Amino acid sequence: MPHNFGAQSHNTILPISSEFLSRRRQAACEQLMAEVEAKPHKAPYADLPPRDITNEELQFLSDYTGEHDLVALRKHVLHVWHAVKAKCWTFGCIQVFRFLQPKIVDHPFFPSVVEAGRSADANQLFMDVGCCFGQELRKLILDGYPEACVVASDLTPDYWNFGLELFKDKGRLRVRTAFGSLTDLAFVSKRPDAAAAALVGAVTYLWAGAVLHVLSKGDAERFVASAHILLAPGGVFFGSTGGSEEAGEWWLTPDGQRKRYLHSPGTLTALLESAGFSDVEVQSYRPEEGSGVLGQPAGVASDLAILKVKVEAPPRELTDDELKFLSDYTGERDLVALRQHVLRVWRDVKAKCWTFKCIQCFRFLQPRIGDHPFYGVIVEASRSAHANQVFMDVGCCFGQETRKLMVDGYPEANIIANDITPDYWNFGSQLFKDQERLRVRTAFGSLADPAFVSGRPDAAVAALVGTVTYLWAGAVLHVLCKPDTERFVAAAHLLLAPGGVFFGSTGGAEEAGEGWRTPDGKSQRYLHSPATLTALLESVGFTGVEVQARRRGCGIASETGLGHVFVSLFPGPLRYTASLLMPLSALLSVVGALYGHHVVGYLAGVLNLAQMAEALPPAQLVAQLFATHPTTGAAVLDAACALAGVAFAFVVMPAGDVLMGRDLQGSETMEGLGGPQGGYRALLYAFSAVHWAVLLAGCAAAPHVHPLALMGLAASLGTGTSLMLTVAHELLHSPRALDKAMCNLLLSAAGYMHWSCSHLAHHRKVATPADAQSARLGESLYAFLPRSVTGSLREGVSMEAARLAARRLPFLSLHNRVLTWVAAPAALLTTVGALWGTPAVALGVAQAVVAVFLLEDVNYVEHYGLTRAHAASGMYVRQDVQHSWNANWLFSNACLFRLQRHSDHHAHAARPYQDLRDMPNAPQLPASYPAMLILALVPPLWSAVMDSRVAALHSKP
């Protein structure tokens, strides 16, 4: 029963629809296995003659090699086949020529891999484990996956070398190879000397076709564990294997020493989940006649397809700094191994416990008690005072604060760890690897529960009442409702000895009030202000109360008062409604192009501007122009008013950044700071609809506008369209088909539809000489523009040609999307011309030119001078935060959908804009994107500002 399977480095396998084997067939299988046991060193199918090779089976080999003489090709295949039989163990699949046709194409996940290979980071490694002759990976390469990102792996190089002979590509195929067994810990481990150590945690897609069913049960377990070690967070394990309705042993392994093990869907799912994979999907299916595992009676075979098993991707990457405390505490210096360990524990916690936002974001890795001003006093007191000064960590979670205190010298026997349940604490023991040696006391229960803390002898912690010297509560009060905070503080006072100290930290607000819901969903959490928290502490009897407010990056939105007002008035998705000011200013441009001189004349009369104008030379010049050439003067005023859109983008937006400051908000939906995802996505569609309406209004107005004003209007509409291309960029990276279709519609407004392909190539090649859309150090904007525009077009056409070739479609066909790229903008202009005439067509073309110019200006700014070095393997190093320029300003981030958090976008292309994070260690521009776009127009100024910054980055070790 073949099984398709799939898993992620947090793994997944699909729903099962299985056909049952008859008892008669099962008996036949058992008889066959008994016969094999009697002849352990001979394959049960060794004497089977080869069958005829059909023309259909030769099709892929013919397409790949370009050899269309099928008679000669058939002889070539048989020649290689006989050579294989003479040297290697010939598995049943080799006996019957299954190596001729790639089976990976039949797997449901294959199209997703191909699409990702065309669009994502160039270092998304695909590993074909048990590659044999390499037919699967050659199919992947033929369909567009970057050859340099493919790794071929098998036990020995023998089959691979025969594959080079079979496919006639020795000397030109440049995939990486790694020969050895995933069941051998000497091949795959976290040790630097392991053969595949460089691949640990680096593989994005791991394919295992027809491998697991040739392994013993123990080897299958080691194989799956190794696959999990190799996969990066978010990586996917998928493939197929022979299986059975009921799991059990089968014939002997190739070495004749053990029995192979055929998994059932249930046992394979359990195995993958036990190794740490998530989203496991295993599907069983009956193979076609003659395609089952050779040696089984007809109809007995069943295959399992691992449809998609994932290694769950965390919300963000773990930095080396975050791992430092854990490394120091555990003594583990291999940060790759430590990172994998943290992720395994993190996933286990997610599966069992309520995961607070601090856990989601890995804040449990770094103790924060050390930042508290009172911490030094406690450490010093523990070294000098008597041995019975009890320290209680309330809400200890994983116990990172407790362990920090111990490391700094506090007596272990005097520490008490407390949380509501032991779950987090137990996971902490697993995380810090000290289950057998940690000897702190524990007391599990809630301080907000009177049954847990009271003066009665039967209370759970009655022995602690009045004995605690120091009580720490970090990140506890803000998860409680108001009555529970009152009970919690009263219980803390009850536990403390005379002279004892209650200290900690909590989320708060400038004005006290209810926040989001408590974990049980029954009440609202309560956020205290400094004043209300002080009053609460004093009301239960505490003295010497001191509460200090401080800002925290993910909870505060801006560094200026005006920025706070902006975020308070426009929380969540509403903040990004600022982007609608762009099409609205473009609409003002349309009105200004039509009636600008009338509006100015009216305002001049109402506000009595004539006298003020006498002191302004430009105003005098316009007045004189009106007097001598009224028509031209009106046109000049109309043109000036038509530039309202340009003024918003390049004057109002930078000014807003100066006034509102930087954007300190974190990942909004991931950290619970914003509304539902749908609101953010709806805003993209709203912006697109409004700007399209403004574009059509501008075209309708074009016949009635003076040519001079038409130029100003084209500049404003083009500026708005360039922002609409930012929306198209966001939609392009969405997995939804509707979003991708909308992206193409938006790109058609600029006649730049090929960019939907070429931009995906940019993500693979960014910061390398092969990327036309990465500006080089010393290259001016005007030198970059023609290179980027032509390179982008070539890349798009090349990718489309490869797509058609992979589908065996001619380039000159109706399936060619290049026709759409040309026809759609042409149809738009034709329609506009038919409705509103030549001026409207001229406006449409001019605004498209402006939009493309600004798009390429943005490309120029985003990666100027940044380059990726070569690794020892010859490949470029993996792109990271250092390969994009960022500008984290509040107002322009709201208007540009956080495009300026560009490093995080390249690290996580599919991450929605509201969840893009600030990367403080990434290259930072001195001003926001709009201001830098203007600076780029003057190459000497640009070089004076930027070249030294690039040099400083390159000089860093």
Side-chain angles (χ1 to χ4, degrees), residues 352-697:
K352 184 174 182 181
C353 304
W354 171 278
T355 46
F356 293 94
K357 296 302 177 183
C358 51
I359 295 174
Q360 285 277 3
C361 300
F362 303 107
R363 289 205 198 112
F364 55 85
L365 289 173
Q366 292 179 299
R368 286 182 288 171
I369 192 172
D371 298 329
H372 197 285
F374 190 65
Y375 179 71
V377 176
I378 296 176
V379 172
E380 186 63 31
S382 71
R383 296 168 180 166
S384 59
H386 60 81
N388 289 323
Q389 284 196 332
V390 176
F391 176 93
M392 188 171 185
D393 182 356
V394 178
C396 63
C397 195
F398 290 80
Q400 65 275 18
E401 319 292 353
T402 296
R403 290 172 173 88
K404 166 67 175 170
L405 194 68
M406 289 166 43
V407 167
D408 287 349
Y410 207 93
E412 187 174 345
N414 292 357
I415 298 176
I416 300 172
N418 162 263
D419 214 314
I420 295 178
T421 70
D423 293 333
Y424 293 118
W425 177 259
N426 291 338
F427 279 120
S429 298
Q430 182 182 343
L431 176 70
F432 289 98
K433 303 180 181 182
D434 56 3
Q435 296 98 320
E436 304 301 324
R437 57 188 174 88
L438 190 63
R439 291 291 180 268
V440 303
R441 296 156 62 186
T442 56
F444 299 113
S446 173
L447 263 66
D449 180 7
F452 179 69
V453 180
S454 78
R456 299 194 312 272
D458 60 339
V461 289
L464 295 177
V465 171
T467 66
V468 177
T469 308
Y470 304 111
L471 192 148
W472 161 263
V476 176
L477 289 177
H478 60 248
V479 304
L480 304 176
C481 64
K482 189 175 182 181
D484 280 348
T485 62
E486 295 167 355
R487 285 189 285 269
F488 182 97
V489 170
H493 189 272
L494 193 65
L495 289 170
L496 282 165
V501 177
F502 176 35
F503 71 115
S505 62
T506 180
E510 292 181 6
E511 295 184 8
E514 292 183 333
W516 56 88
R517 300 193 73 78
T518 52
D520 61 12
K522 296 179 180 178
S523 55
Q524 298 290 118
R525 306 185 191 188
Y526 192 82
L527 296 182
H528 277 279
S529 67
T532 60
L533 183 56
T534 300
L536 172 61
L537 290 165
E538 290 176 343
S539 70
V540 299
F542 284 107
T543 59
V545 175
E546 184 179 350
V547 175
Q548 184 181 70
R550 60 185 176 88
R551 292 179 179 175
R552 182 166 58 87
C554 64
I556 303 298
S558 175
E559 60 185 6
T560 72
L562 186 59
H564 285 302
V565 173
F566 175 69
V567 172
S568 299
L569 292 176
F570 302 100
L574 290 178
R575 182 174 312 117
Y576 300 95
T577 57
S579 63
L580 295 175
L581 294 174
M582 183 67 247
L584 292 177
S585 65
L587 181 60
L588 285 178
S589 297
V590 175
V591 175
L594 286 169
Y595 310 112
H597 65 285
H598 294 298
V599 174
V600 172
Y602 175 76
L603 291 176
V606 171
L607 301 176
N608 194 20
L609 297 178
Q611 294 180 354
M612 296 173 57
E614 292 178 359
L616 299 173
Q620 293 174 12
L621 198 62
V622 172
Q624 186 178 357
L625 185 62
F626 254 106
T628 56
H629 303 284
T631 303
T632 305
V636 169
L637 285 177
D638 289 348
C641 293
L643 290 171
V646 176
F648 172 76
F650 299 109
V651 178
V652 175
M653 213 182 290
D657 287 329
V658 172
L659 294 173
M660 295 187 190
R662 296 187 181 272
D663 182 1
L664 303 181
Q665 196 81 359
S667 300
E668 296 187 6
T669 53
M670 281 169 30
E671 292 194 8
L673 303 173
Q677 293 270 5
Y680 294 95
R681 187 162 162 262
L683 194 57
L684 299 174
Y685 280 81
F687 179 95
S688 304
V690 173
H691 187 69
W692 266 110
V694 173
L695 273 180
L696 294 176

Side-chain angles (χ1 to χ4, degrees), residues 197-260:
L199 298 174
V200 170
V203 177
T204 306
Y205 303 109
L206 192 147
W207 161 262
V211 176
L212 288 175
H213 60 248
V214 303
L215 303 177
S216 66
K217 187 176 183 181
D219 279 348
E221 293 168 356
R222 285 186 285 274
F223 182 97
V224 170
S226 295
H228 193 276
I229 289 173
L230 289 171
L231 282 163
V236 177
F237 176 35
F238 70 116
S240 61
T241 180
S244 175
E245 176 208 342
E246 296 181 7
E249 292 181 330
W250 195 241
W251 56 72
L252 295 180
T253 54
D255 61 10
Q257 302 299 312
R258 289 156 296 172
K259 291 181 180 178
R260 308 185 190 185

